[in-house]
Amino acid sequence: MPTAAKLICAFAMAAVGYISSEVVVFQTLEEGVRVGWFQEYNALLGFFFGWRMLGRMVGETVTISMMNGLFVGGLLLALALVSQGFYTMITESLDLSYDSPEKALDGMLNFTAAYGVQILDSVVLGFHFGLSVLAGLIGHFTARRWR
């Protein structure tokens, strides 16, 4: 059932995904690196997580909503890392870089780990989790205002 809290949480988490991706691009990548649809894809993931998860979890107390925002932000970060690793593995496998599916899976996990190490920056993680808590708060007050 669509509710105002689900819609607002979806847009809030989409903003978290997009802004966090922008911070990753400006903070950790070199100048002139082409990222393609990186920000838009992470915003789409954020929209999905905001609608399906955060929108139905907010509304009880302020602290629970903040922790739910933090939890959904962590899931968004984990799935974004895995999906970016998968995308890189697919582009490498189209160049016939892997001999077997096991090597392709190992390559995906290596790319995911490398991306995870790359974003281990206090500014990136601070922005991401701070915005995730803010999204939980926005969802909480939306759920309380419009039932």
Side-chain angles (χ1 to χ4, degrees), residues 24-35 118:
V24 166
V25 168
F26 289 125
Q27 191 73 19
T28 63
L29 298 179
E30 294 86 20
E31 187 75 28
V33 174
R34 293 179 43 190
V35 292
Q118 188 175 8

Side-chain angles (χ1 to χ4, degrees), residues 10 13-15 17-18 38-50 76:
M13 286 307 291
Y18 190 86
F38 176 67
Q39 293 96 340
E40 291 83 4
Y41 177 73
N42 289 336
L44 183 65
L45 281 177
F47 188 87
F48 175 75
F49 276 123
L76 172 63

Side-chain angles (χ1 to χ4, degrees):
M1 180 79 183
T3 62
K6 283 185 177 183
L7 183 66
I8 297 298
C9 285
F11 281 118
M13 286 307 291
V16 168
Y18 190 86
I19 293 170
S20 296
S21 299
E22 284 289 325
V23 171
V24 166
V25 168
F26 289 125
Q27 191 73 19
T28 63
L29 298 179
E30 294 86 20
E31 187 75 28
V33 174
R34 293 179 43 190
V35 292
W37 292 91
F38 176 67
Q39 293 96 340
E40 291 83 4
Y41 177 73
N42 289 336
L44 183 65
L45 281 177
F47 188 87
F48 175 75
F49 276 123
W51 182 273
R52 296 291 296 171
M53 296 189 71
L54 187 60
R56 63 172 71 156
M57 292 193 306
V58 296
E60 294 186 23
T61 65
V62 174
T63 54
I64 290 175
S65 295
M66 288 170 57
M67 292 308 293
N68 287 336
L70 199 62
F71 172 71
V72 172
L75 286 177
L76 172 63
L77 185 67
L79 186 64
L81 287 173
V82 169
S83 63
Q84 295 301 325
F86 179 75
Y87 175 75
T88 308
M89 182 269 300
I90 290 294
T91 57
E92 295 253 332
S93 68
L94 291 176
D95 295 334
L96 302 175
S97 299
Y98 303 113
D99 296 338
S100 65
E102 293 85 16
K103 289 184 181 179
L105 183 62
D106 185 49
M108 183 191 86
L109 294 176
N110 287 336
F111 287 127
T112 301
Y115 293 149
V117 168
Q118 188 175 8
I119 66 163
L120 281 179
D121 185 39
S122 61
V123 174
V124 172
L125 294 178
F127 261 99
H128 180 76
F129 288 115
L131 290 173
S132 298
V133 168
L134 184 64
L137 283 173
I138 290 170
H140 171 75
F141 291 120
T142 302
R144 286 291 187 198
R145 175 77 174 119
W146 294 298
R147 289 201 177 251

